[in-house]
Amino acid sequence: MENENLRGLFQLLTRRFGLLNKNCCSADGIEISLVQSHILYEIHRQSKASIQQIAETLGTDITTFSRQIQSLIKLNLVTKTPDAEDRRISILSLTDEGVKINQTIDQQMNDYLNEIFKTMNEFEKESVVRSLQLLNDRMLKSSVCCTTPWE
Amino acid sequence: MENENLRGLFQLLTRRFGLLNKNCCSADGIEISLVQSHILYEIHRQSKASIQQIAETLGTDITTFSRQIQSLIKLNLVTKTPDAEDRRISILSLTDEGVKINQTIDQQMNDYLNEIFKTMNEFEKESVVRSLQLLNDRMLKSSVCCTTPWE
DNA sequence: TAAAAAAGTTGTAGTTTGCAAGTATTGTCG
DNA sequence: CGACAATACTTGCAAACTACAACTTTTTTA
C-alpha cells in the first residue's frame, strides 16, 4: 500500500478518460476540439464567470484563451457580455447552441461511464464515486502543488 | 447515486491531475513538455514496444508521434533500434538520461500524490486506491468506447 | 489627478498536429 | 516465383495551438 505506484494509477485513468473525451466531442454536426469541449463545460459550470477566471481554472495562458473564446464566438457557441460594474471584464456564457452541444457531450460521456459502472455491484459503485469525490476535495484543498489558483 | 454527474467527477479529477503533471515536467535542467513526459512514461512501462504501439496507446496520430520521437532522440532521452525480425519496425527505449528524467518526474508526482493521501485515514486510502484500480481495470476491458485499441 | 494595476486584445514567432503522399520492408496469393 | 497488397514508418505541407511582449481600455491607488 505504501509503495503503491500512485502516479501510474492516475496516469492510466486520466489517459483513458482523455481518449474517451477526445472521441466524444462532436455533436449536431459541429466538430469541436477537446480543448473547446472543456471550455464549454467550464463556462457552464461556473456561470457568469469572466475570461480570466475560466482561463485560470483551465490553466491556460490568457492570450491563448482569449483567442479560443473568439473561435467559439464565431461558432456561435459562446457569448461575451461586458460586466456592468467593471467594464474591463467580459462575462462568458453559452448560447442555446452551446448549451445543447455541451449537454450532448455530457450525455455521451455519462452514457459511457455508466456502461463502465454497470460492471460493478452497488457497493463497488458507491465506493468508487465516494473515492473520486474525496480525491477531488483533497486535491482542491491542497496547497502543495502549483501556483495556479485553479478556482 | 444513479443521477451522479460522473462526467463532472472525472473531468475535475483529470484536470487537476493534468495541471499537476504540467508543472512537474522539468528535471535535471531539462525542460520537457507534458506530452513528452507521457511518452517517456509509456516507453518505460511497455518495454520493447514499437513506435506504432506507443502511438496507439497514447491515442496520437502516428505521423505526429514519429516527429515527437525524433525530438526526444535529439534530446538524447530515447533511442530507436530496428527490430531484428522485421526491419520495418523500430523498437523504442529510454536512454540512461531518459530513465533518470522519468524517475525524477515519477518521484515528484508520487510525492505530491502522497501528500494528498496523507490527509486520509488508512481506510479511505485503501478504498481510493482500490477504486482507481477497479476503474482502470473496467475501462481497459470495456469495448463501448472508441476504436483506438489502446492496449 | 497622476501613476500603478488589472482585464483583455493583437503582433509575432515558434511549436504541434494530422492528412496526403512518399519509402522501405514484409506478407499474400495466383 | 512474382506481382500486388499490406504494414511500419517518414516527410511535405497547411492549419491550428501556444505564449511572450506590447498595446488599449478601464479601474484602483496614493
Side-chain angles (χ1 to χ4, degrees):
Chain A
M1 175 66 202
E2 251 323 320
N3 44 19
E4 207 54 75
N5 180 13
L6 293 176
R7 182 199 177 193
L9 284 177
F10 279 79
Q11 193 99 350
L12 284 181
L13 182 65
T14 56
R15 173 153 68 243
R16 292 198 174 112
F17 183 72
L19 287 174
L20 169 63
N21 217 336
K22 206 174 181 176
N23 295 355
C24 280
C25 288
S26 56
D28 299 319
I30 295 187
E31 219 18 83
I32 66 174
S33 72
L34 178 58
V35 174
Q36 288 175 324
S37 83
H38 270 82
I39 296 173
L40 294 191
Y41 178 83
E42 207 55 35
I43 291 177
H44 183 74
R45 200 173 73 90
Q46 308 177 29
S47 84
K48 309 282 177 196
S50 71
I51 291 187
Q52 196 148 75
Q53 283 173 323
I54 306 275
E56 263 178 9
T57 301
L58 296 175
T60 313
D61 184 277
I62 194 166
T63 67
T64 301
F65 190 74
S66 172
R67 279 184 255 254
Q68 285 167 339
I69 291 299
Q70 287 170 31
S71 306
L72 288 169
I73 290 175
K74 265 187 204 146
L75 287 173
N76 193 35
L77 300 177
V78 168
T79 54
K80 215 172 52 179
T81 30
D83 187 296
E85 319 247 310
D86 186 340
R87 280 178 302 167
R88 290 172 302 181
I89 298 175
S90 287
I91 301 298
L92 298 175
S93 48
L94 299 185
T95 63
D96 290 348
E97 183 71 10
V99 170
K100 221 175 77 186
I101 297 238
N102 184 55
Q103 276 176 349
T104 306
I105 294 174
D106 236 50
Q107 184 75 52
Q108 289 173 358
M109 300 287 287
N110 277 321
D111 283 355
Y112 171 75
L113 291 171
N114 275 317
E115 208 61 41
I116 297 292
F117 276 70
K118 262 192 199 148
T119 66
M120 306 178 192
N121 62 42
E122 268 312 311
F123 174 77
E124 289 173 325
K125 258 190 237 183
E126 203 136 5
S127 167
V128 169
V129 170
R130 245 206 300 273
S131 294
L132 295 179
Q133 286 169 335
L134 182 61
L135 268 174
N136 274 332
D137 177 63
R138 297 306 157 85
M139 289 182 94
L140 173 59
K141 285 179 185 154
S142 162
S143 59
V144 186
C145 177
C146 332
T147 51
T148 313
W150 56 36
E151 75 188 282
Chain B
M1 176 66 201
E2 252 320 322
N3 44 18
E4 206 54 74
N5 179 14
L6 294 176
R7 183 199 177 194
L9 283 177
F10 279 79
Q11 193 99 351
L12 283 181
L13 182 65
T14 56
R15 173 155 67 243
R16 292 200 172 110
F17 183 72
L19 286 174
L20 169 63
N21 217 335
K22 205 176 183 176
N23 294 355
C24 279
C25 287
S26 56
D28 299 318
I30 296 187
E31 230 359 272
I32 66 174
S33 71
L34 177 59
V35 174
Q36 288 175 325
S37 82
H38 269 84
I39 296 173
L40 294 189
Y41 178 83
E42 205 56 35
I43 291 177
H44 183 74
R45 200 172 73 91
Q46 308 176 31
S47 84
K48 308 283 176 196
S50 71
I51 290 187
Q52 196 146 73
Q53 283 173 323
I54 306 276
E56 264 178 8
T57 302
L58 295 175
T60 314
D61 184 276
I62 194 167
T63 68
T64 300
F65 190 74
S66 172
R67 277 183 258 253
Q68 285 167 340
I69 291 299
Q70 287 170 31
S71 306
L72 288 169
I73 290 176
K74 265 188 204 145
L75 287 174
N76 193 35
L77 300 176
V78 168
T79 54
K80 213 172 54 176
T81 29
D83 186 297
E85 320 245 310
D86 186 338
R87 281 178 300 169
R88 289 171 304 182
I89 297 176
S90 287
I91 301 298
L92 297 175
S93 48
L94 298 185
T95 63
D96 290 348
E97 184 69 12
V99 169
K100 221 175 77 187
I101 297 238
N102 185 54
Q103 276 175 349
T104 305
I105 294 173
D106 236 50
Q107 184 75 52
Q108 289 173 359
M109 299 287 287
N110 277 321
D111 283 355
Y112 171 75
L113 291 171
N114 275 317
E115 209 60 41
I116 298 291
F117 275 71
K118 261 191 201 148
T119 66
M120 305 179 193
N121 63 42
E122 268 312 312
F123 174 77
E124 288 173 326
K125 261 190 234 181
E126 202 138 2
S127 167
V128 170
V129 170
R130 245 208 298 274
S131 293
L132 295 179
Q133 287 168 335
L134 182 61
L135 268 175
N136 275 332
D137 177 62
R138 296 305 157 85
M139 289 182 95
L140 173 58
K141 284 178 185 156
S142 161
S143 60
V144 186
C145 177
C146 331
T147 51
T148 313
W150 56 36
E151 73 189 283

